[in-house]
Amino acid sequence: MSNAHFLHSLVGSMSEGAAGNPTVAMIEAAFAHHGLHWRYLNMEVTPADLGSAVRGAKAMGFRGFNCSLPHKVTVIPHLDGLGESAAAMGAVNCVVRRGDAFIGENTDGKGFLRSLEAIEDPHGKSVVLFGAGGAARAIAVELALAGVRRINVVNRSEARGAELANLLRERLNIEAAHNVWSGDHAIPAGTDIVINATSIGLYAPEAQLPLDLATLRPGMVVADVVFNPARTRLLAEAAARGCRPLDGLGMLVNQGILGVQYWTGITPDAAVLRAALESAMGL
Ligand code: NDP
C-alpha cells in the first residue's frame, strides 16, 4: 500500500446540495501541486443524517471536512470541541482531526482577515460592515480578535444587526453599533474599512449596494465578500474613487489555504489555488 496512489488521508465537504463545488477543484489542485496523495470529496448530507455522517467520517479516518449551510451550527453537538472564533460565532465550517478529536474551526472570517492583511493592518481601525448574516458574523468576530477599534454594523433586519453588535460589545469588548439600513447609507468620516458582507451583487454584476458613493474617500479599503463576479460593481466604483478594492475571491482562496494548513500542516501555494478556483468558476 505504499505506491504513489495510496491515499494517505481523506478530507471532505458536507453540504446539502453537493453538485459543482469549485472548492473541490481548488483543494485538489493544492494536493496535486504539493505531491500530497490526499483526496477532497464532496458529499451531499441531509440534516437528518449529519450525526451519522460525522461519526462515519471519524470511523473512516477522515482528517477533517468542511461543512456549509445548513450544517454550520447543527454540526457543533457532533464535535469534540471548538476553536476560539468558532466558539465566539457559534458556527463551524471546517473540522480538523486533532488526535482522536474532531475540532470545529471557522475559516470564513479567517480567510477574509488574511486577504485583508495583505493590504491593510486591521489593528485600531474603524469598520463599516454591511450585513449581519453568517459571513458578516464570521468576519466581525475575526476583525475583533485582530484588534479593530470599532465596527458599525449596517443591516436590513434590525434584530440580526443588533444581535451582532451586542456580541461584539459584550463578548469581544470592542466598540460596536448597529444601524437599520434604509436608503443609501453614508459612510461616517474616520472610517478605514468598508465591507459588503451581504449577498447583494452575487451573480448580479449590475446590482448596486445602497451606499452613498460620495462618502467613499480615497485610500479607504472597500471589500466585497461576493466572489462572482470577482470585480463587483461596488469594487469598480470604489476603485474609481481612489479606494483600495479587495475582492471575495481572495477570501475564498485563503479559506482553502487555511483548510489545507489545518489538515496537512503544509502551507500551499496561493497562486495554484486561485488559478484552480478561477478556472472551475469559469472566470
Ligand atoms: P446569510 O443569508 O447568512 O446573510 C445574508 C445577509 O445579506 C444578511 O445580512 C441579509 O440581511 C443581507 N441581504 C441579503 N439581501 C439583501 C438585500 N436585498 N438588501 C439588504 N440586505 C440584504 O448569507 P451569508 O452571510 O452566508 O452569505 C452572504 C454572502 O457572502 C453571499 O453572497 C456568499 O456567497 C458570500 N460568502 C463569500 C465567502 C467568500 O469566501 N468569499 C464565504 C462565505 C460567504 P437580513 O439580515 O436583513 O436578511
Side-chain angles (χ1 to χ4, degrees):
M1 294 289 284
S2 60
N3 66 61
H5 300 290
F6 174 66
L7 301 180
H8 278 295
S9 301
L10 292 164
V11 284
S13 165
M14 295 187 187
S15 58
E16 205 172 17
N21 184 343
T23 304
V24 175
M26 175 173 70
I27 303 289
E28 293 226 318
F31 290 163
H33 181 76
H34 293 282
L36 294 166
H37 303 298
W38 289 50
R39 293 300 311 272
Y40 181 91
L41 307 175
N42 207 12
M43 287 155 295
E44 185 162 348
V45 176
T46 65
D49 287 330
L50 183 60
S52 311
V54 173
R55 283 191 297 281
K58 202 178 213 184
M60 289 186 288
F62 275 51
R63 301 294 294 268
F65 56 90
N66 284 126
C67 55
S68 54
L69 290 174
H71 302 318
K72 288 185 177 184
V73 176
T74 48
V75 75
I76 291 174
H78 304 294
L79 302 177
D80 303 301
L82 297 178
E84 181 185 17
S85 58
M89 63 188 82
V92 163
N93 76 336
C94 183
V95 173
V96 187
R97 181 188 286 267
R98 296 191 180 122
D100 286 335
F102 264 178
I103 304 298
E105 299 283 358
N106 196 307
T107 59
D108 276 332
K110 286 186 171 65
F112 176 84
L113 186 63
R114 283 215 182 166
S115 179
L116 174 67
E117 283 169 340
I119 63 165
E120 179 75 305
D121 176 1
H123 194 268
K125 299 295 187 313
S126 183
V127 177
V128 171
L129 177 67
F130 290 99
R137 209 174 156 85
I139 288 169
V141 167
E142 295 297 347
L143 287 174
L145 292 172
V148 295
R149 183 173 58 78
R150 179 178 177 84
I151 300 180
N152 281 343
V153 178
V154 182
N155 198 50
R156 184 178 56 178
S157 127
E158 181 169 17
R160 253 175 147 184
E163 191 196 337
L164 178 53
N166 285 342
L167 171 80
L168 294 170
R169 273 194 305 269
E170 287 165 17
R171 181 148 182 171
L172 295 150
N173 300 316
I174 66 159
E175 291 176 33
H178 75 279
N179 300 102
V180 178
W181 199 350
S182 65
D184 287 350
H185 188 81
I187 304 298
T191 300
D192 306 293
I193 301 167
V194 175
I195 304 163
N196 173 35
T198 74
S199 40
I200 297 172
L202 187 65
Y203 306 117
E206 294 308 317
Q208 174 122 36
L209 200 76
L211 159 70
D212 179 356
L213 292 170
T215 59
L216 293 179
R217 289 169 201 86
M220 273 180 179
V221 173
V222 176
D224 208 323
V225 297
V226 167
F227 50 80
N228 197 344
R231 192 169 176 80
T232 59
R233 185 168 174 179
L234 171 66
L235 295 185
E237 282 170 339
R241 282 164 180 78
C243 303
R244 291 177 288 157
L246 190 67
D247 72 29
L249 273 184
M251 174 176 172
L252 209 51
V253 167
N254 277 293
Q255 290 198 58
I257 292 173
L258 283 157
V260 173
Q261 282 178 328
Y262 275 139
W263 298 317
T264 71
I266 69 142
T267 301
D269 183 335
V272 168
L273 278 84
R274 182 150 181 143
L277 187 65
E278 287 183 357
S279 161
M281 291 171 66
L283 296 174

